[in-house]
Amino acid sequence: MDEDGNRYPLRSAEGIDLDSWVQSPESGVTEFTMHFEPMPKNTQVFDYIEGDNTRAYMLLGIHDKKYIIKYPTIQEISDANPWTVPQDWFKTDTITIKGRIEGFDAERLGFDLLCYYNHDEFEKGDAAQVMDIAPDGTFCKKFKASYPIRDLFWTTEAKTQFNYIPFFARPGETIDITVRIHEDGWYDYTFNSGSSHDVERWLRFSNEYIDVFRPLYSFKGRLKEGNKLAESIFQEALYRLRTESRRYKYTPIEMQLALADLQANFVENYLSYVDNHAQTLVKYEERDGEWHVEVLDSVERERIFDARNYYPLHRIDFDNPLLLTSYAFQLTLNRIQYAIPVRQVLGNDSLNANQRTIEYYSVLRQMLGSKENTLVAQLCSYKVMQDNVEIWRNNRDILLEHMKQHEATLSDTLWQKAFENIPSLDERFNIFINHITHPYIHQKAEQFYNNQMAQTDIASPLPVTPMADLIRSLCAKYPGKILMIDFWGMSCGPCRGAIQLSKELRAEIAKRDDVKLIFIAGEQTTEGSDEYKKYVSEWLADEETICVTKSDFVRLQELFQFNSIPHYETITPDCRRVRDDLRINGYDNFDEELQRLKEKLK
């Protein structure tokens, strides 16, 4: 049908007449008669594919070349689905996810827990959550959130088609979910309460419009052509979203959430294309033990460094708080925070702290197409503060230590000047906070800073849990030593790369009597796969290696609050966890970080 409801004769891409569908009264199976006819020369394939959500079949729409597709705009879709964001959309409170899996049998289904990676943009790091499932199938998990969240509790251990339980919840809500697993392994879920019930169609079906962004992500052309493609694909995504919303009868809130999700996915895919394209403009070559960079197209590279050339992003409403509810938002914000023009400003050492902040916002305004510092721009700035406050906190301590070591070689005047050029932590934070106008971000920034300043203990005790007991057993095995734990996995390329590059360094570390390296990986069984055993034999033969089940590895992630690997933790000789800004973070600066920690522990 066209947009006005007029029915067109349907044909497949091969010219199959799909109007000849008939219903078999005996079997109840839908059949159709195929008439192979050549398609008229003045027809062309639609820019999108219609089909059911299970992808069991697809219908390819076709239209006359003269037919003008009426692409909707963001404003038109939004105006057609009026809904006001509640005043308390941003709020810090507890979310409770509870419910029951009917007919639950851990042995038959292959799992007894579900996982959730809670990423809150206002908190430092990611917080893995483990939701245990009782023998009767009931489950309950509580966690804090700063804004409404759409996500999944998932498992990779299932022996059936069960994969995940989706949910959408606002802070302060309890979401009650009933899961039914059918004999064939497929499952269904009923949302009995809360916001998940209000947006059930969006939770079930909102993925078809996202597929349209794949050609943009994988596009290999120049920025001018990429921008043109981005404009076209964005229109097509809006068209597909409107089609999807009519098919599944989205409510206004569902439509507004889907529209924000579409925009977040567009930004992530567009900036990923730009980053991928930028890599093709330079050539890296190792010569005489050093890496050399050759620019292959300086003109095109200059275009990418110019924030004004990112004009496809100007279509996006970066003040829309619903953007944060998207699966894609974590990557979206990361892509903006580390976009090439933005990185150029952050790496400009010729600017002082205040100048860098002003230029940072200026580039973001140019890139995002706004006259003011948008919600997303201020969130990016907040993330910069999160990432750097530990560095700012230690800068003066590091300089003072350096001054002590070289006090005989430089005059007091030079040292004083060097010291004055590094702003104190309070000075840096004041520069930062003066540019934050969004009240909730401002409040969260002050809370985060105050919490960091309140940290006086170098390390904190471990809780009473089975996984913490594993760490305590390692402390008992290596008394008097600082433990650096390397959480890694066979499927993690960066993990293996760090292990292999650090082989010589680790041989030197093994000679020390003050520190011990521990390597923990998650596998299907505690024995590990043949591939795991072979790798350990080749690269970690002389190290302390521990293999735990994937379920226990997730519990370790929950204990130490991390989602990605490689991840490093440092444990003191009295078995306390070292705080983030003082822990040994890998092998690149191992000796310096270990020495700094030992000085603090004295």
Side-chain angles (χ1 to χ4, degrees), residues 210-491:
I210 296 174
D211 294 343
V212 76
F213 296 127
R214 292 175 183 172
L216 177 59
Y217 178 89
S218 59
F219 185 65
K220 305 297 183 183
R222 300 168 73 82
L223 186 59
K224 183 177 180 181
E225 290 75 26
N227 284 346
K228 184 178 179 180
L229 176 65
E231 298 276 4
S232 173
I233 282 180
F234 188 75
Q235 286 183 318
E236 189 177 339
L238 290 173
Y239 191 100
R240 188 181 293 196
L241 170 58
R242 187 172 64 180
T243 301
E244 176 183 300
S245 67
R246 290 171 175 174
R247 179 184 304 140
Y248 300 122
K249 297 180 173 58
Y250 281 3
T251 61
I253 180 177
E254 289 175 318
M255 196 61 181
Q256 294 290 347
L257 288 166
L259 189 59
D261 186 40
L262 181 151
Q263 294 177 72
N265 275 276
F266 172 75
V267 175
E268 192 271 318
N269 280 273
Y270 173 74
L271 290 177
S272 293
Y273 147 68
V274 176
D275 276 347
N276 293 337
H277 176 46
Q279 293 299 314
T280 68
L281 304 178
V282 294
K283 179 181 178 182
Y284 297 94
E285 186 177 16
E286 187 178 7
R287 297 195 302 268
D288 301 326
E290 294 184 2
W291 284 98
H292 299 265
V293 180
E294 177 186 355
V295 177
L296 304 177
D297 189 336
S298 59
V299 174
E300 179 71 359
R301 195 162 182 263
E302 283 298 317
R303 292 193 185 101
I304 290 178
F305 274 83
D306 190 341
R308 294 170 297 182
N309 290 327
Y310 290 66
Y311 51 82
L313 298 180
H314 298 180
R315 289 177 172 269
I316 308 303
D317 179 9
F318 289 103
D319 271 320
N320 184 357
L322 302 188
L323 291 172
L324 278 75
T325 64
S326 171
Y327 283 139
F329 188 74
Q330 178 184 358
L331 282 176
T332 299
L333 191 65
N334 180 271
R335 294 291 185 269
I336 296 172
Q337 184 184 349
Y338 295 105
I340 293 170
V342 179
R343 293 204 305 263
Q344 188 178 28
V345 174
L346 292 177
N348 189 347
D349 293 332
S350 66
L351 302 174
N352 61 38
N354 189 51
Q355 291 170 332
R356 186 180 289 113
T357 303
I358 293 171
E359 183 64 18
Y360 179 82
Y361 277 112
S362 176
V363 168
L364 280 173
R365 288 194 298 270
Q366 289 179 18
M367 191 173 77
L368 305 184
S370 59
K371 295 181 179 179
E372 305 295 333
N373 296 334
T374 62
L375 165 68
V376 169
Q378 293 181 56
L379 261 177
C380 285
S381 180
Y382 177 89
K383 301 298 285 186
V384 169
M385 185 271 293
Q386 273 191 329
D387 292 342
N388 286 279
V389 68
E390 293 166 359
I391 298 173
W392 298 342
R393 181 176 186 171
N394 292 310
N395 267 352
R396 288 203 164 191
D397 289 345
I398 294 172
L399 179 59
L400 285 172
E401 181 63 30
H402 192 73
M403 289 169 65
K404 291 177 183 177
Q405 295 174 5
H406 300 85
E407 58 184 350
T409 60
L410 290 175
S411 67
D412 291 342
T413 303
L414 287 175
W415 279 125
Q416 184 65 28
K417 186 176 292 186
F419 193 76
E420 290 174 352
N421 283 338
I422 298 180
S424 68
L425 184 54
D426 284 342
E427 290 170 337
R428 282 187 179 275
F429 180 73
N430 288 332
I431 291 170
F432 156 80
I433 200 68
N434 288 338
H435 293 270
I436 298 293
T437 58
H438 190 282
Y440 191 72
I441 301 177
H442 193 103
Q443 172 193 340
K444 297 296 282 189
E446 289 186 327
Q447 288 177 354
F448 179 83
Y449 180 74
N450 291 334
N451 289 338
Q452 291 295 310
M453 294 304 97
Q455 286 186 344
T456 56
D457 293 334
I458 294 172
S460 57
L462 295 173
V464 180
T465 67
M467 290 299 100
D469 288 342
L470 169 64
I471 306 302
R472 277 187 275 268
S473 71
L474 292 170
C475 291
K477 186 175 182 179
Y478 299 103
K481 291 191 176 185
I482 294 172
L483 305 183
M484 191 197 87
I485 305 176
D486 183 333
F487 292 97
W488 70 288
M490 286 300 298
S491 62

Side-chain angles (χ1 to χ4, degrees), residues 458-463 465 467-487 513-520 546 556 559-562 567-580 582-586 590 593-594 597-598 601:
I458 294 172
S460 57
L462 295 173
T465 67
M467 290 299 100
D469 288 342
L470 169 64
I471 306 302
R472 277 187 275 268
S473 71
L474 292 170
C475 291
K477 186 175 182 179
Y478 299 103
K481 291 191 176 185
I482 294 172
L483 305 183
M484 191 197 87
I485 305 176
D486 183 333
F487 292 97
D513 59 4
D514 58 349
V515 64
K516 180 63 180 177
L517 304 183
I518 311 287
F519 294 83
I520 301 180
I546 298 172
L556 284 165
L559 171 64
F560 290 111
Q561 297 290 278
F562 69 94
H567 178 79
Y568 307 97
E569 289 288 339
T570 309
I571 307 297
T572 63
D574 59 349
C575 212
R576 292 180 299 149
R577 181 194 183 191
V578 174
R579 75 185 192 208
D580 289 346
L582 292 176
R583 61 186 169 91
I584 304 169
N585 194 27
F590 184 91
E593 291 174 358
L594 175 61
L597 175 59
K598 291 178 67 176
L601 290 173

Side-chain angles (χ1 to χ4, degrees), residues 105-125:
D105 183 332
E107 179 64 27
R108 180 175 66 87
L109 297 179
F111 64 92
D112 60 3
L113 61 83
L114 296 174
C115 312
Y116 162 52
Y117 285 163
N118 180 14
H119 183 84
D120 189 324
E121 297 298 346
F122 293 101
E123 299 299 326
K124 179 67 174 173

